[in-house]
Amino acid sequence: IKVSIKGYTNDTLLLGYHYGDKQYIKDTSVSKTGSFVFKADTLLEPGMYLIVLQPDHQFFQILIDRGKQKFSVESDTSDLSVDLKFKGSSLNSDFNKYIDFISDNRLKADSIGRLINEKTNKEEITKLKKLLEDIDKAVKAKQNHIIEAQPNSILSLLIRWTLDVELPEFDGTEEEKNEKAFYYYKNHYFDYADFLDDRSVRLPLFSSKLERYMQKLTVQIPDSINSSLDYILSKCKLGSDLFKYVLSTQLNNYANSKYVGMDAVYVHLVEDYYGKGKAPWIDPESLAKMSSDAKALKPLLIDKIAPNITVYKQDSTPISLHDVKANYTILLIWAPDCGHCKQSMPSIKKFYDEYKSKGVEIFAVCSKTGPDEKSCWDGVSQLGMGDWINTSDPQHKSKFRLIYDVKTTPQVYFLDKNKKILTKKIAGEQFKEVMDKIIALEKNEAK
């Protein structure tokens, strides 16, 4: 691929590419004459690539498809994308013309949209809306022409990922019509998308469309997210680049989610995909760790019954978590040398003073064992924790650190009267806010 850029004085040019929602550098070309060449013994993977200038990283985009990958392109630093000229690549000539066509019509549509907002005359507004409809028809006609003329080209694939759902008219009240429109839109959202074509993973529109479906069209609870991911993965060919991208990125997203309860998505993906041999790219050591993590997390998911543990009061009297009789039990696993625990304890104490009369009990387990366990009770005294149930397990007989996957402290679980996990990993400063919502929700459900 030969590249000449008028006005470009740097001696280095980069070739980048899209992969999902990220960009990477594929190759570097160095030239003292201003004419750059990217050359290799193997073909590039089909997708959208970037010619990146140094040092400010301005760029323009080109398409690479299967087959012939030998062509030249000229541009000008005064306006990189406008002055593109291709030789030997009808694909990129068509791509450039299509981008110009879309940009021109978007400018026209934006201008008409502003006029509509300024007008008050209904007749003028109607005429302007008709012009918008004509622009929309022209764009769709252009897209359909390219798809029909080049059904297998990457340009057609790119266009299909941009196509949106056209909604029919629905009957009913405004609320009913909105609900029908939403479900129709969601059910037909991927009608034009091709999950069997691995070229899609190197087109930026693929990842943004996937992200919108997961974030905007999927209810943000684990069951709904799992269902959406199963649906998308079922549309991909097992083991394909698209399948690998969707599975691995979504696993990472939910493994590192800042939202409570999303570990259920991680557990689902590990058990139903990685654990069943559907991710052959993963090495045995990583798979073993993931499976171990999922196994540890599964009993601790929201809506599960919290595992029972028997620990000990200061006088060595045993007490079990499930023996606590309260409308709500907060399991608090803490440590006397934990900075966050010390910081949160005044807020937790204030919360408990207010909510113990509302049926809330705190079941605190100090994480120190062996000789260090003695520090637990000094911590209870110093932090003013004596009003609620305080326990420890000097010999770690209950294995609570393993059962509750205690890697850091504090660990917090809000339980109902049956010891079902309602929520978890709540900061002490948020106890009041979260408990108010839990109580209000249960009152509404009772009605």
Side-chain angles (χ1 to χ4, degrees), residues 402-413:
L402 296 174
I403 292 171
Y404 279 92
D405 196 32
V406 180
K407 296 184 175 73
T408 60
T409 53
Q411 294 290 326
V412 175
Y413 294 83

Side-chain angles (χ1 to χ4, degrees), residues 415-429:
L415 316 177
D416 70 4
K417 62 182 179 182
N418 298 314
K419 302 301 179 285
K420 183 178 76 174
I421 299 172
L422 300 174
T423 188
K424 57 185 178 178
K425 299 187 183 301
I426 306 299
E429 296 78 6

Side-chain angles (χ1 to χ4, degrees), residues 345-346 348-349 353 378-388 390:
M345 213 56 75
I348 297 175
K349 189 175 186 306
D353 290 342
D378 290 336
V380 168
S381 177
Q382 291 168 6
L383 296 173
M385 298 169 58
D387 291 340
W388 54 68
N390 285 291

Side-chain angles (χ1 to χ4, degrees), residues 101-102 105 131-144:
F101 176 81
I102 294 297
N105 280 281
L131 289 176
L132 281 180
E133 290 176 6
D134 291 343
I135 290 174
D136 187 54
K137 288 178 182 177
V139 169
K140 288 176 180 175
K142 179 74 170 178
Q143 291 172 329
N144 288 333

Side-chain angles (χ1 to χ4, degrees), residues 127-360:
K127 288 180 180 178
L128 289 169
K129 286 184 175 179
K130 177 65 169 57
L131 289 176
L132 281 180
E133 290 176 6
D134 291 343
I135 290 174
D136 187 54
K137 288 178 182 177
V139 169
K140 288 176 180 175
K142 179 74 170 178
Q143 291 172 329
N144 288 333
H145 173 73
I146 293 174
I147 290 172
E148 290 173 6
Q150 308 175 35
N152 298 317
S153 81
I154 196 167
L155 177 56
S156 293
L157 181 64
L158 175 70
I159 291 171
R160 288 200 295 273
W161 278 105
T162 70
L163 299 181
D164 208 355
V165 180
E166 293 189 30
L167 295 174
E169 293 292 328
F170 294 103
D171 297 325
T173 65
E174 197 64 28
E175 184 178 348
E176 288 171 341
K177 287 192 285 187
N178 287 338
E179 184 177 2
K180 290 176 182 177
F182 172 80
Y183 284 109
Y184 183 92
Y185 186 83
K186 182 178 181 181
N187 291 335
H188 293 272
Y189 183 72
F190 290 122
D191 278 3
Y192 305 106
D194 190 346
F195 283 91
L196 297 178
D197 194 328
D198 272 345
R199 293 178 297 177
S200 297
V201 79
R202 289 178 175 79
L203 298 176
L205 295 163
F206 156 71
S207 61
S208 59
K209 196 172 182 76
L210 173 67
E211 185 70 10
R212 185 167 183 239
Y213 184 83
M214 293 304 305
Q215 297 298 325
K216 303 297 184 183
L217 301 181
T218 300
V219 179
Q220 295 301 291
I221 59 173
D223 285 350
S224 296
I225 292 169
N226 289 340
S227 178
S228 287
L229 287 175
D230 288 345
Y231 168 66
I232 291 169
L233 288 165
S234 72
K235 297 173 76 67
C236 303
K237 183 180 178 182
L238 187 67
S240 66
D241 283 354
L242 274 177
F243 182 90
K244 179 180 179 179
Y245 176 84
V246 173
L247 182 56
S248 58
T249 56
Q250 295 304 309
L251 180 88
N252 288 333
N253 284 347
Y254 291 103
N256 300 306
S257 176
K258 61 182 179 181
Y259 297 107
V260 174
M262 293 305 161
D263 47 0
V265 181
Y266 176 84
V267 170
H268 170 69
L269 293 178
V270 171
E271 286 191 340
D272 283 34
Y273 292 92
Y274 287 85
K276 293 183 178 178
K278 296 179 182 179
W281 59 84
I282 199 79
D283 63 89
E285 185 178 347
S286 297
L287 177 60
K289 185 182 184 309
M290 288 165 56
S291 299
S292 176
D293 288 344
K295 185 178 180 181
L297 287 170
K298 191 172 184 178
L300 306 176
L301 300 179
I302 289 174
D303 286 339
K304 296 278 190 180
I305 299 298
N308 195 19
I309 52 173
T310 299
V311 284
Y312 303 88
K313 295 182 179 181
Q314 189 173 9
D315 63 3
S316 299
T317 304
I319 181 170
S320 296
L321 173 63
H322 285 202
D323 288 341
V324 177
K325 306 301 180 186
N327 291 334
Y328 305 100
T329 302
I330 298 176
L331 172 61
L332 170 63
I333 303 175
W334 68 288
D337 57 354
C338 161
H340 193 183
C341 301
K342 293 177 183 178
Q343 181 182 342
S344 299
M345 213 56 75
S347 297
I348 297 175
K349 189 175 186 306
K350 183 179 178 182
F351 161 83
Y352 184 69
D353 290 342
E354 182 179 348
Y355 282 79
K356 60 184 176 183
S357 62
K358 299 180 183 181
V360 176

Side-chain angles (χ1 to χ4, degrees), residues 48-60:
M48 183 178 284
Y49 285 72
L50 306 92
I51 304 296
V52 186
L53 283 64
Q54 295 290 75
D56 53 7
H57 298 113
Q58 291 186 72
F59 67 89
F60 61 86

